[in-house]
Amino acid sequence: NTAIANNQYDQAGTNLSSAQANFDQAKQEIDKIGSEIQTILKLIPSDSANLADAEYLLQIGKLVSVVGQDLVELTAGLKEDDGKKLTDKISALGEKANTLLPQLQEINSNLNKIRLQAIPEDKQATFSQIKNYFGLALKDLEELSSLTTALNQVLGAEYFQRYLVVFQNNNEIRPTGGFMGSFALMDIDRGEIKNLEIPGGGIYALQGQLLENKIAPYPLQLIQSRWEIQDANWFPDFATSAEKIRWFYEKSGGPTTDGVIAINASLVPKILEIVGPIAAPKYGLLLTAENFITETQNTVEFGYDKAENKPKQLLAEIAPSLLEKMFSLKGENLVKIISVFKNGLNEKDIQLYFHNEAIQNKFSSYNWTGEIKETSRDYLSIVNANIRGYKTDAVIEQSYNLNSKIDENGEIINTLTITRKH
């Protein structure tokens, strides 16, 4: 709000771009923009040379008066506790976005037709910022429209989808985020999870089922020469690791999957902050945002039934309750959980891989697919892999110092120092 009040429309546009769902605030900002447009309109000289510019500005003013309210109504359906499926809500959001697009396109078209010299000199900077604001808003809305289509494809709005979900423990670091101790096979149809299988033995439940022999990458041969699925996320480029995970899973007798989703353990406490504690009565535990990591790790390492030998059974026990709570969220809590997942994607606590190239490219454009991207320039990339260091990454601080020396002949010598403190 203060950005608009101070005529900082470029900053306001950036805020809208980064906050995409906060259209309530956008309405207030657009209302203030409408007031500025009316002020500029009154200041334009009323001679024939400026008549067309004034007419375009008048049309913009009329459109702006309704756009703000339309933006508020855009996300209203997400907050309503109406019992509708998530895919239906997303479809409705996409339809509303498509309805609003022509209005923003007309505003931008008219803004581009107005000559800057027709605007009073002391208002030209403000006018340029208004153009920038609506340019960003149009781009955001086009992206939102496209994203709703991709999201519904992922959620099986039309066709059943099957995903391999791998849970990475980032206290035992590996190139894509952490050691894959557990996994789930998840079937989604029409936005609902129809089947969820989480082996109590974790990733090692697949041991002995691999039909082909693969020699492990050289550093992993410190553990064993045979390469198996628990070490498949060896490549920092997530798509490469995901394809390898799919290959190992299918060669171990698993079904073909439509994609791989990696979730870091550090994301779960953030989810629990919204959905509340999860009870695990068989283990005498109440898992909260504060104790989830320590309690599950203790149970997986020491507290499981040694005779049954299913150390990851705790995760299988709590997963249905956690998912049920997540999928039943309504109103503001639904918006909060969406924000948690968006932050998780941005911070690589969630990484996505889809076998469908079009969907993969869409999510790649948001930097949600964990790619090591091609670039024409050099960059520093430090990749860690914990091999038999167990959960020590939880108590290790790591810092870096890069010293670049340019010689007289233009040669650059880089000296990288990595400091670890236990």
Side-chain angles (χ1 to χ4, degrees):
N1 292 341
T2 53
I4 290 294
N6 295 328
N7 286 340
Q8 297 171 0
Y9 294 99
D10 51 348
Q11 181 61 44
T14 304
N15 291 343
L16 180 59
S17 180
S18 63
Q20 205 117 327
N22 194 359
F23 290 113
D24 291 352
Q25 179 181 340
K27 180 185 184 304
Q28 298 174 33
E29 295 176 348
I30 288 175
D31 285 347
K32 290 174 184 175
I33 286 177
S35 176
E36 283 286 359
I37 288 172
Q38 294 301 324
T39 301
I40 294 172
L41 186 59
K42 291 174 184 176
L43 294 174
I44 292 180
S46 57
D47 52 52
S48 58
N50 299 302
L51 193 58
D53 301 293
E55 182 61 30
Y56 290 136
L57 202 56
L58 182 62
Q59 291 301 319
I60 291 167
K62 290 177 181 178
L63 285 167
V64 165
S65 66
V66 296
V67 161
Q69 186 58 41
D70 287 342
L71 285 172
V72 171
E73 294 173 358
L74 191 63
T75 57
L78 286 177
K79 300 177 183 179
E80 290 176 5
D81 186 359
D82 53 12
K84 290 183 180 178
K85 291 181 181 179
L86 181 58
T87 48
D88 292 337
K89 286 176 178 284
I90 291 171
S91 294
L93 180 61
E95 288 169 8
K96 288 179 181 177
N98 289 335
T99 302
L100 184 55
L101 270 173
Q103 297 176 60
L104 280 179
Q105 287 167 343
E106 186 175 349
I107 288 173
N108 276 278
S109 175
N110 286 338
L111 282 169
N112 289 327
K113 291 174 184 175
I114 297 171
R115 298 170 303 125
L116 188 61
Q117 58 266 35
I119 306 296
E121 193 171 326
D122 63 334
K123 291 291 182 180
Q124 287 182 3
T126 297
F127 178 75
S128 296
Q129 290 164 346
I130 289 172
K131 283 182 67 174
N132 184 52
Y133 180 93
F134 278 108
L136 286 169
L138 177 60
K139 184 180 177 182
D140 283 347
L141 203 62
E142 289 171 339
E143 275 299 318
L144 184 61
S145 174
S146 176
L147 178 60
T148 55
T149 302
L151 275 176
N152 266 349
Q153 287 179 289
V154 171
L155 293 170
E158 294 183 19
Y159 306 105
F160 160 90
Q161 299 289 300
R162 172 169 283 166
Y163 300 111
L164 190 62
V165 183
V166 293
F167 304 105
Q168 301 186 131
N169 190 334
N170 39 343
N171 289 331
E172 188 173 348
I173 205 73
R174 285 294 172 92
T176 63
F179 181 76
M180 299 185 298
S182 304
F183 74 94
L185 186 67
M186 182 172 67
D187 297 338
I188 296 182
D189 191 22
R190 308 304 189 270
E192 295 182 355
I193 296 176
K194 297 296 186 181
N195 182 51
L196 184 71
E197 300 172 19
I198 304 178
I203 201 78
Y204 292 107
L206 297 172
Q207 244 181 357
Q209 299 178 40
L210 184 62
L211 301 177
E212 296 191 24
N213 285 324
K214 280 280 182 183
I215 297 174
Y218 182 71
L220 285 170
Q221 293 178 26
L222 288 167
I223 304 172
Q224 60 179 13
S225 59
R226 179 182 166 93
W227 197 6
E228 298 194 39
I229 190 171
Q230 67 269 14
D231 298 314
N233 62 339
W234 185 249
F235 309 99
D237 178 78
F238 183 68
T240 306
S241 279
E243 270 297 338
K244 189 61 68 177
I245 293 166
R246 285 179 83 237
W247 183 90
F248 273 108
Y249 184 63
E250 291 171 22
K251 294 297 182 182
S252 300
T256 300
T257 56
D258 296 297
V260 179
I261 301 169
I263 300 175
N264 288 347
S266 51
L267 184 76
V268 181
K270 298 171 186 176
I271 295 172
L272 290 174
E273 285 179 7
I274 297 169
V275 304
I278 301 290
K282 182 178 175 181
Y283 297 86
L285 294 174
L286 183 66
L287 299 172
T288 66
E290 291 73 29
N291 71 8
F292 176 80
I293 298 293
T294 54
E295 291 291 356
T296 53
Q297 199 152 284
N298 285 336
T299 302
V300 164
E301 297 284 347
F302 311 110
Y304 64 95
D305 187 330
K306 302 298 189 295
E308 189 181 30
N309 196 28
K310 292 182 177 179
K312 306 301 171 70
Q313 186 62 34
L314 171 61
L315 300 179
E317 297 270 347
I318 66 170
S321 297
L322 183 61
L323 287 168
E324 184 181 350
K325 284 195 171 192
M326 282 169 48
F327 274 78
S328 63
L329 290 173
K330 307 293 181 186
E332 292 298 328
N333 282 334
L334 177 59
V335 176
K336 286 180 183 178
I337 202 74
I338 290 172
S339 178
V340 165
F341 283 122
K342 184 180 176 184
N343 290 337
L345 288 160
N346 289 338
E347 295 168 7
K348 305 296 180 284
D349 275 337
I350 307 171
Q351 293 171 91
L352 308 173
Y353 171 77
F354 301 101
H355 195 56
N356 181 309
E357 189 176 351
I359 298 176
Q360 176 71 4
N361 289 339
K362 168 52 67 178
F363 286 98
S364 173
S365 70
Y366 298 118
N367 295 317
W368 290 348
T369 52
E371 291 174 74
I372 300 295
K373 296 194 173 183
E374 293 292 332
T375 175
S376 60
R377 296 171 182 250
D378 290 341
Y379 63 92
L380 176 65
S381 179
I382 299 169
V383 181
N384 286 321
N386 177 334
I387 301 174
R388 278 287 166 89
Y390 302 104
K391 306 301 184 288
T392 47
D393 288 294
V395 291
I396 291 177
E397 293 177 1
Q398 184 164 288
S399 60
Y400 316 102
N401 183 64
L402 179 66
N403 182 270
S404 298
K405 181 181 177 182
I406 305 176
D407 288 345
E408 290 181 0
N409 62 2
E411 182 183 14
I412 301 174
I413 300 174
N414 294 306
T415 304
L416 175 67
T417 304
I418 301 176
T419 305
R420 293 194 181 101
K421 180 182 177 182
H422 193 288

